[in-house]
Amino acid sequence: NERTWKLIRAITDNPDIQRVIYPSPGPNPSTQKGGGKSKAEFYAMAAEDIFTGDPEYGDRYANDLASGNKKKISQWTKKVKNRLEK
């Protein structure tokens, strides 16, 4: 489906997303020590690429972001994470 391809493009076109979601072997920056961002932040970046302007989910995504409701916003990042785990 088109959203799957948007997810693939979001990861392959953005080296930062790719590096964090699929890190290379070796030591990685510790988010607890202030190095780098969490995977959730990069899932959120990918969700923005996928759902912004989407004919089916775009309005709902925009409304959830505008609401500032963290629970609603996290549902979108979970969609990205769950799709990557399939």
Side-chain angles (χ1 to χ4, degrees):
N1 96 27
E2 181 58 29
R3 282 184 291 279
T4 299
W5 287 108
K6 281 185 171 184
L7 174 58
I8 292 168
R9 284 191 298 273
I11 294 168
T12 58
D13 292 351
N14 187 325
D16 291 332
I17 294 175
Q18 187 175 17
R19 177 181 44 79
V20 172
I21 294 176
Y22 298 107
S24 59
N28 295 300
S30 167
T31 55
Q32 291 180 337
K33 295 181 182 177
K37 296 181 180 180
S38 70
K39 279 188 177 183
E41 291 176 86
F42 287 95
Y43 291 144
M45 291 171 62
E48 183 176 353
D49 287 347
I50 296 163
F51 298 112
T52 298
D54 184 82
E56 186 175 349
Y57 296 107
D59 289 342
R60 198 165 95 201
Y61 175 74
N63 290 336
D64 288 349
L65 282 182
S67 76
N69 183 317
K70 290 183 180 186
K71 186 174 181 179
K72 287 183 178 182
I73 295 169
S74 73
Q75 291 174 350
W76 296 100
T77 59
K78 286 178 186 174
K79 289 180 187 298
V80 171
K81 180 182 177 187
N82 291 341
R83 184 66 180 122
L84 289 172
E85 290 177 351
K86 286 186 175 186

